[in-house]
Every structure is written in structure tokens, then in C-alpha cells.
Amino acid sequence: MLKFNYGEINELYKSLNINTNSGDVERLATRELYHAGVKLVIEPGFIYFKEDGVVSLAINNDPRIIGDLIDSMPIGLLEHYCPIVTFHYYCMTPTTLLKLRQEDFDSIFFNTVPEKMKELTTVLSFMLIFLLDIHVERRSDSSYHTIKSMLYRYLYRQSVGGHENEGIANFILRRTNFSRSYVFRVLADLKDGDYITVKRGRLISINRKLPNDY
């Protein structure tokens, strides 16, 4: 099992100060604006970079959200190299994307200085690490342990500028197969025990160490 959590991974990633949304990418790309709740349409032959906003990822026809895209993740690159897999991207907030032609992407990251290739490799490596962390979280031995982990994930996201209005119950339900009754019961019991504070459906704080079992 991974020995670090989402917050620690994200803090390490941010400390690397990777910024592919500047320089050549910004100069050659065009900007596209999307409203919250919109599904992104990924045009073949183009790679996209999130400049601002929160974008979530789902796969094939599964309505469950896998997770949010990390900064500098090249949207459309996975589909380019593995076209038999279909990914779906949803704007959780108003979003700005940089749209770059595939040939310009290749020119920037593959046909220039080694530092650009290293930067891209780092981004792709962290994509895999984030997905592994989510896999471990969602494959927990008990539904409660998954919910427990997702409470911390939700709270961290809010603390670093998550502006989406998604409530904690919906956040869990959209990412799991748990029943609504079970999720609401766990949240209600934790709230009644003063373990968490929830206002208008949003998790405000975790007040003390959550119970090991439920």
C-alpha cells in the first residue's frame, strides 16, 4: 500500500514548479473557455492543457469520476497513443484550456531540449502516481475506509482552492458504487459524533481523528 496520501503527493508535485502552460505552449496554442458542468470535446489531432479551473476524468461509459486532472497534464495525449480507450472530461468549474496542435506539441516536447522531455516525463509519472493513489483508496477493504480517505481528499482539495460547489456526499457518490443511504448514514453518524462539520452539504472540517472502523 502507498505510504503517502493525496495531499502529500500534490504538495510534492507543486514544489517541482512544472509550468508547461508558459513559453512555447502558450505562444502556439489557442484559448478555449468552458462553463462549469460542460463536457469537454477533445478534437483529434490536438493536445490540451488546463490553464485554469477544475477538470475531472471518467473512462468509457462508466459515469464514476476517477479524479481531477493535475496541472500541466496533456489532455488528449493518452487517446493519441491508445485510441481504443475513451476518456471523458468534465468541467467542475469555469475552465480555460490551451489547445495545441499535435505537431506543435511534438515539436516542443520531443524535438527541442532534453529538459522539455524530462518535464513531460515528470508530469506523466505523477499522473500514474495519482491514479495509483486513487486505485488504492477506492479498493480499500471496507466502504467506510474508502469514505474516510475521501473525506481527507475532499478537505485538502478545498484548502488549496477547489472552487467547485460539489457537496461531500455527491463527491463520494460520483466516485464510487456506494448506496446513497450508506454514504448519508456514515456522514450523519460522523457529524453527530462531532468528528466532522458539514454545512449546506459541504465538509468544512475534520474536528478530530476519525474512528478506525465503522
Side-chain angles (χ1 to χ4, degrees):
M1 179 173 290
L2 298 179
K3 295 183 179 180
F4 38 80
N5 59 40
Y6 172 79
E8 292 173 340
I9 301 170
N10 201 46
E11 288 298 320
L12 173 59
Y13 182 66
K14 290 193 300 182
S15 73
L16 301 178
N17 198 29
I18 295 174
N19 188 13
T20 55
N21 290 350
S22 62
D24 292 336
V25 170
E26 189 171 342
R27 177 174 58 84
L28 295 173
T30 57
R31 281 184 174 81
E32 295 191 345
L33 305 178
Y34 294 85
H35 297 294
V38 171
K39 178 181 176 181
L40 301 182
V41 178
I42 305 302
E43 187 176 345
F46 289 89
I47 302 297
Y48 300 74
F49 289 92
K50 177 175 66 71
E51 186 175 53
D52 187 47
V54 178
V55 179
S56 291
L57 170 70
I59 187 169
N60 294 336
N61 296 317
D62 192 333
R64 291 173 298 175
I65 291 174
I66 297 175
D68 295 335
L69 304 188
I70 62 175
D71 292 340
S72 301
M73 172 178 168
I75 306 170
L77 190 64
L78 300 178
E79 297 92 320
H80 175 72
Y81 286 108
C82 188
I84 63 173
V85 179
T86 302
F87 295 97
H88 300 288
Y89 306 92
Y90 302 94
C91 297
M92 307 303 289
T93 67
T95 299
T96 303
L97 296 181
L98 297 175
K99 180 180 179 181
L100 187 68
R101 294 187 306 169
Q102 180 70 50
E103 52 265 38
D104 289 332
F105 176 90
D106 292 346
S107 176
I108 292 171
F109 290 98
F110 298 143
N111 301 329
T112 55
V113 296
E115 285 73 15
K116 284 291 184 182
M117 295 184 66
K118 181 179 179 181
E119 185 178 83
L120 178 61
T121 300
T122 302
V123 172
L124 296 177
S125 297
F126 269 86
M127 283 171 55
L128 176 60
I129 292 170
F130 276 106
L131 289 175
L132 287 173
D133 178 57
I134 291 171
H135 174 74
V136 170
E137 175 186 79
R138 311 288 161 83
R139 296 276 293 182
S140 177
D141 292 336
S142 78
S143 300
Y144 168 71
H145 288 148
T146 297
I147 291 176
K148 180 179 174 182
S149 177
M150 295 182 77
L151 291 174
Y152 286 105
R153 179 185 294 270
Y154 178 95
L155 201 60
Y156 175 80
R157 281 160 43 101
Q158 297 301 313
S159 72
V160 294
H163 301 298
E164 66 268 35
N165 294 318
E166 189 173 30
I168 180 59
N170 197 46
F171 176 81
I172 296 170
L173 290 168
R174 293 187 67 180
R175 291 159 176 80
T176 65
N177 281 326
F178 303 156
S179 68
R180 293 181 62 85
S181 60
Y182 178 76
V183 171
F184 277 99
R185 185 170 74 250
V186 171
L187 294 177
D189 287 346
L190 291 176
K191 183 178 178 181
D192 289 344
D194 197 34
Y195 288 99
I196 61 175
T197 298
V198 178
K199 293 184 179 178
R200 296 182 179 179
R202 301 182 68 178
L203 178 65
I204 303 301
S205 65
I206 296 175
N207 305 323
R208 56 196 175 105
K209 184 179 177 181
L210 298 176
N212 290 328
D213 294 296
Y214 177 78

